[in-house]
Amino acid sequence: MAQSSVQVWEDFFKRYYWENILELAKNYPEKRTLNIQYPDFEKFDMELARELLEHPDHVLKDANDSLSAIDLPADVVFINTHVRIIKLPERIQIRELRSSDINKFIAVSGLIRKATEVRPKIINAAFKCRHCGVVTLVLQTEGKFIEPFICENDECGRKGQFKLVHEESEFIDAQKLRIQESPDDLRGGEQPQTLDVDVDDDLAGIVSPGDRVVISGILRSYQRTTQQGKSTFFDLVLDGVSIEIEDKEFEDIEISKEDIEEILSLGKDTKVYEKIIYSIAPSIYGYEEVKEAMALQLFSGIPKNLPDGARIRGDIHVLLVGDPGVAKSQLLRYAVKLAPRGIYTSGKSSTSAGLTATAVKDEFGEGRWTLEAGALVLADMGLACVDELDKMEADDRSSMHEAMEQQTISIAKAGILATLKSRCALLGAANPKFGRFDRYEPIAKQINMPPALLSRFDLIFILTDEPMVSRDTAIAEHILKAHYAGELAARRDNVIDSGISAEEITTAMEVIQPVIESEMLRKYIAYTKRKIFPIIQDDARKQLIDFYLGLRKQGEDPNSPVPVTARQLEALIRLAEASARVRLSSVITTEDTGRVVRIVMASLKQVMTDPETGKLDSDIINVGMGKSQRVKVKTLKEIIRELQEEYKSAVPLEEIISKAEESGIKKDTVEDMIQKLKQVGEILEASNNKFRVI
Ligand code: ADP
Ligand code: MG
């Protein structure tokens, strides 16, 4: 007779996992899991391993029974241990789950999108008969709570009533998760699909939203109920057996020997920067500087862990601000395609979890609190492209600072204390508040974002749409060429005997063809992030310091605005690291720092020039007001103070305006400044349109 399955498991455990079992015995009952690698078991008994995939319920039960019954040398008895199978041979895409997978043992991979609190679940309920006092035990295997039908005591046999006895019932920890397809598995803007997972005991509470995991389990189906009663449709839930957390970057990108050869030769190419720039959104004309910055962002600086436990981010944050219709959204969409683990979302229309994360009590948690990951958490170790960033929710706005600098998101709400990771680069796009960008106004005033947040971007670019004949012609020709190529291809695909040859299309497509194929570029980026960790050379360091000090120096003169803060120095370093990575260099040379100084100057000039003096002034970003404006604020406050003395009370607005105009401050500016000062509590509106300085 063939061996029983319990016997097979026992042989297997003793032969291949004895060490692990002894280890488990040492730590039992704090540890209750024995992880078994599927390939090991498959080698041992192929037939039973197949059976495990097809009919997991009884095979797993036998495995667990066998483990519980095993003779241990120590004085330990395994009562509630779990055999958890990891490394299943195949992972099924969530979108490809079908009814034939129901009740099978499967593995899915993805991101944890939501996780409820860990709460006890009753698994064996003890009911005391109110009449005779005898206790009846009822196993709770279904989702809903089952009460005994009649009292177990034959002499009583009544149908109730029963009282639940907590002390004699058995509870375990339980948690509900929602796993979402990983962005790596999605092609071109598909919406990710999700699957709910139930986990219990020591599997509960080990993952957080944003974690990348492989979950193995038994796929169950539950009948839907509608208001009309039971439906013929069923929902899928994975009954979790094991969770593997993946924490490596780009694990999933495979780079072959031939790929490496190609990467190395590209790295030596003196034109590698141009080639990369022309491989980013080739259908978009121009914007070489922006594309160069995007390239550096994709390659990223080096994250550093300091001995005091602090971590300095290596990710480079870039913001594109600009008029409508200047291809901001298109650039973002392209970046997602190139970035390993890229996520595209809009500040306005993103999910309930927004950009960062939220804690909510919803029907998913069945009354428990649920923590849901937003875009920046889901993009952990990748690139988050957030369009219409200026339209983000107020909640997000406050957690964005932490998310961008510390790259974590802390949630403290209703007893949930959690810190989620958001180690991603942010590529944001924002539209000016008043529709069009006004180059004579400071940027903080024109986009609806607090200055403290703006200062966390390493680079900010302003894309304006000013008519300029030569450029307009070039863009128009470029767009028309792209459309023409598309028209040719569409005709050839749809019309028989179109008379259009494949060569003709290739030639037409040339203008919009990336120099380096996206697939190759992704591999190139992944390779550098794995292998290239450049170190700065002395002369390059000196160049960065000189550049930084030179800018700071402008601030020494009491009449000149402070041009740059230490944040910009950090940005310079990160960008230089990225630049060295692009050419696979192990050292950062003046070639890199020179490039970076050029890009940063281009960005600073656009963003930090005080519109009234033409000088660089980082306060425009950092505090939302340039120096010349601060002088005006001071003057204005003095004017109000003087008038206040005169009036012996609050001053009417018209008075302030007319006095201020004498000092050369325009009416609009006065009204604007008064509103701002009121917001920050420096002046008070005593009564309608009468003001007082505090
Ligand atoms: P935005 O997000 O800035 O409002 P979009 O990304 O939606 O703008 O772009 C609007 C359209 O204009 C897109 O179809 C884009 O291809 C086109 N476009 C704008 N500027 C350029 C350019 N420089 N080269 C090619 N196409 C452009
Ligand atoms: Mg747009």
Side-chain angles (χ1 to χ4, degrees):
M1 196 189 95
Q3 267 186 319
S4 80
S5 143
V6 179
Q7 189 63 49
V8 175
W9 281 106
E10 191 184 330
D11 291 348
F12 172 70
F13 289 148
K14 285 193 169 155
R15 186 128 25 122
Y16 295 102
Y17 276 82
W18 193 237
E19 292 290 315
N20 309 52
I21 289 173
L22 291 182
E23 182 68 25
L24 179 63
K26 231 192 284 169
N27 298 306
Y28 185 80
E30 286 72 39
K31 291 239 155 42
R32 296 180 291 282
T33 284
L34 178 69
N35 278 322
I36 300 291
Q37 306 215 4
Y38 182 86
D40 292 345
F41 187 60
E42 193 182 33
K43 257 183 259 156
F44 183 75
D45 189 330
M46 185 128 86
E47 214 172 302
L48 192 56
R50 292 261 166 79
E51 181 74 2
L52 170 66
L53 299 182
E54 289 299 312
H55 301 105
D57 281 297
H58 83 262
V59 182
L60 270 177
K61 184 177 177 304
D62 288 349
N64 280 310
D65 288 349
S66 166
L67 181 62
S68 297
I70 218 155
D71 271 335
L72 295 167
D75 190 16
V76 177
V77 184
F78 288 155
I79 297 171
N80 41 12
T81 44
H82 312 279
V83 175
R84 303 204 183 277
I85 316 282
I86 56 175
K87 301 215 174 350
L88 292 204
E90 240 182 290
R91 294 177 196 172
I92 303 187
Q93 299 266 340
I94 292 174
R95 63 182 57 230
E96 269 149 26
L97 290 174
R98 294 292 176 265
S99 49
S100 57
D101 297 312
I102 292 173
N103 293 325
K104 302 281 162 62
F105 193 31
I106 60 160
V108 293
S109 67
L111 289 166
I112 301 291
R113 166 103 199 209
K114 285 183 171 196
T116 65
E117 292 173 288
V118 178
R119 283 288 174 265
K121 177 173 91 173
I122 197 161
I123 49 169
N124 201 356
F127 294 94
K128 194 176 209 163
C129 175
R130 283 199 198 268
H131 192 76
C132 70
V134 167
V135 169
T136 303
L137 287 172
V138 182
L139 280 175
Q140 304 290 330
T141 46
E142 311 274 320
K144 51 179 204 286
F145 188 60
I146 307 163
E147 296 190 62
F149 187 57
I150 53 165
C151 178
E152 245 180 16
N153 180 1
D154 289 340
E155 278 159 36
C156 173
R158 277 169 228 252
K159 290 194 177 158
Q161 293 173 344
F162 301 99
K163 182 176 181 284
L164 183 66
V165 193
H166 290 240
E167 305 85 74
E168 290 177 42
S169 301
E170 226 182 299
F171 293 88
I172 51 167
D173 291 328
Q175 186 182 32
K176 197 167 167 176
L177 308 170
R178 179 167 289 171
I179 178 172
Q180 165 177 324
E181 288 173 305
S182 158
D184 310 330
D185 298 334
L186 299 176
R187 289 275 156 258
E190 280 173 326
Q191 275 303 309
Q193 295 196 7
T194 61
L195 177 68
D196 290 354
V197 184
D198 284 328
V199 291
D200 56 29
D201 202 25
D202 56 350
L203 277 193
I206 63 172
V207 295
S208 321
D211 283 349
R212 280 158 200 274
V213 293
V214 178
I215 304 188
S216 310
I218 304 167
L219 192 67
R220 311 258 185 228
S221 60
Y222 289 100
Q223 194 163 15
R224 275 186 205 169
T225 45
T226 61
Q227 274 161 349
Q228 280 79 41
K230 287 190 176 175
S231 152
T232 49
F233 287 94
F234 281 65
D235 284 322
L236 294 175
V237 174
L238 189 66
D239 189 356
V241 170
S242 74
I243 302 181
E244 296 156 77
I245 302 178
E246 299 184 321
D247 202 25
K248 285 250 172 59
E249 248 177 320
F250 309 127
E251 215 169 39
D252 7 61
I253 294 186
E254 270 178 40
I255 303 177
S256 68
K257 260 212 185 100
E258 294 78 57
D259 292 334
I260 293 182
E261 270 168 32
E262 199 174 335
I263 289 169
L264 293 179
S265 84
L266 256 176
K268 282 197 214 100
D269 194 331
T270 49
K271 290 217 161 66
V272 64
Y273 293 94
E274 285 82 2
K275 285 193 171 172
I276 291 173
I277 291 169
Y278 289 109
S279 305
I280 295 178
S283 62
I284 302 300
Y285 177 85
Y287 296 134
E288 281 80 9
E289 240 148 32
V290 176
K291 289 181 182 179
E292 192 169 8
M294 284 167 63
L296 295 184
Q297 179 181 46
L298 287 169
F299 284 81
S300 112
I302 296 161
K304 294 150 198 125
N305 293 307
L306 303 183
D308 63 356
R311 180 177 175 278
I312 306 178
R313 72 172 153 101
D315 294 308
I316 296 165
H317 301 316
V318 179
L319 177 66
L320 312 178
V321 185
D323 296 337
V326 294
K328 297 184 298 297
S329 303
Q330 292 282 6
L331 287 171
L332 259 57
R333 286 196 182 277
Y334 209 91
V336 177
K337 278 213 304 198
L338 289 180
R341 295 190 176 166
I343 284 193
Y344 178 91
T345 181
S346 162
K348 170 166 67 175
S349 66
S350 42
T351 60
S352 57
L355 296 179
T356 55
T358 44
V360 285
K361 229 173 186 165
D362 59 6
E363 96 286 350
F364 173 74
E366 290 163 23
R368 288 174 291 185
W369 284 91
T370 302
L371 200 55
E372 181 169 7
L376 265 64
V377 177
L378 294 175
D380 184 37
M381 308 257 235
L383 174 70
C385 295
V386 184
D387 210 349
E388 322 228 355
L389 189 60
D390 48 319
K391 305 207 175 53
M392 68 186 149
E393 304 282 327
D395 282 354
D396 281 333
R397 214 167 268 251
S398 51
S399 24
M400 279 297 268
H401 298 116
E402 185 198 349
M404 288 177 72
E405 206 57 62
Q406 279 72 43
Q407 303 201 296
T408 55
I409 291 165
S410 307
I411 297 254
K413 190 173 170 187
I416 290 192
L417 273 180
T419 303
L420 306 179
K421 300 187 193 95
S422 65
R423 296 160 296 180
C424 62
L426 174 61
L427 175 60
N431 290 307
K433 228 188 306 188
F434 309 110
R436 260 180 185 273
F437 205 83
D438 181 350
R439 62 159 68 224
Y440 298 105
E441 287 285 347
I443 154 174
K445 220 165 139 185
Q446 300 199 52
I447 49 175
N448 199 9
M449 277 210 271
L453 198 56
L454 286 179
S455 76
R456 278 169 172 78
F457 284 95
D458 298 83
L459 289 169
I460 300 178
F461 288 96
I462 296 173
L463 316 179
T464 51
D465 187 18
E466 282 165 35
M468 192 166 68
V469 178
S470 59
R471 188 162 179 276
D472 288 349
T473 317
I475 293 183
E477 274 174 7
H478 192 82
I479 293 179
L480 282 164
K481 272 184 199 156
H483 281 253
Y484 171 69
E487 285 161 3
L488 287 182
R491 155 95 49 106
R492 190 177 139 88
D493 284 350
N494 293 299
V495 180
I496 308 165
D497 299 331
S498 62
I500 297 168
S501 67
E503 294 81 60
E504 236 174 301
I505 294 177
T506 317
T507 321
M509 288 280 182
E510 234 156 48
V511 271
I512 50 167
Q513 208 55 257
V515 186
I516 307 169
E517 289 290 331
S518 308
E519 205 53 37
M520 188 61 215
L521 191 50
R522 277 165 65 104
K523 286 180 181 167
Y524 192 97
I525 295 166
Y527 178 85
T528 59
K529 283 196 162 186
R530 275 184 210 160
K531 302 270 183 196
I532 309 292
F533 293 89
I535 290 168
I536 194 158
Q537 279 185 336
D538 286 344
D539 48 353
R541 177 187 294 132
K542 190 167 174 315
Q543 190 181 1
L544 283 193
I545 293 180
D546 288 349
F547 174 63
Y548 173 69
L549 292 182
L551 290 174
R552 288 285 290 185
K553 207 160 184 171
Q554 293 189 23
E556 271 180 14
D557 169 4
N559 290 318
S560 137
V562 180
V564 195
T565 69
R567 280 230 173 93
Q568 273 91 32
L569 180 60
E570 290 196 315
L572 286 166
I573 300 167
R574 276 191 279 272
L575 290 162
E577 287 165 354
S579 163
R581 271 184 160 174
V582 173
R583 57 195 170 85
L584 308 180
S585 167
S586 58
V587 284
I588 299 165
T589 65
T590 48
E591 180 189 336
D592 301 306
T593 47
R595 169 174 300 109
V596 166
V597 165
R598 173 172 54 75
I599 299 176
V600 170
M601 270 314 279
S603 158
L604 283 182
K605 259 206 201 115
Q606 286 184 330
V607 176
M608 292 198 195
T609 313
D610 189 327
E612 297 190 14
T613 63
K615 280 190 185 163
L616 285 183
D617 184 352
S618 74
D619 279 2
I620 287 179
I621 289 190
N622 295 340
V623 294
M625 224 185 263
K627 169 128 186 174
S628 65
Q629 231 189 332
R630 273 189 323 220
V631 172
K632 278 187 197 160
V633 167
K634 210 168 135 204
T635 320
L636 183 71
K637 276 163 73 181
E638 265 157 30
I639 291 175
I640 301 177
R641 201 168 281 129
E642 274 169 27
L643 287 169
Q644 219 165 284
E645 298 275 290
E646 238 170 77
Y647 276 72
K648 300 274 181 258
S649 74
V651 191
L653 183 63
E654 312 86 69
E655 279 299 312
I656 304 174
I657 291 174
S658 76
K659 258 272 160 48
E661 276 176 335
E662 284 170 26
S663 310
I665 310 176
K666 288 197 210 88
K667 181 172 177 236
D668 288 354
T669 319
V670 176
E671 286 171 346
D672 199 73
M673 283 196 285
I674 286 187
Q675 283 312 316
K676 264 202 192 142
L677 289 170
K678 215 174 79 178
Q679 271 172 19
V680 296
E682 289 195 32
I683 65 172
L684 272 184
E685 184 161 5
S687 60
N688 210 5
N689 271 338
K690 286 188 175 174
F691 296 91
R692 200 153 60 77
V693 183
I694 292 171

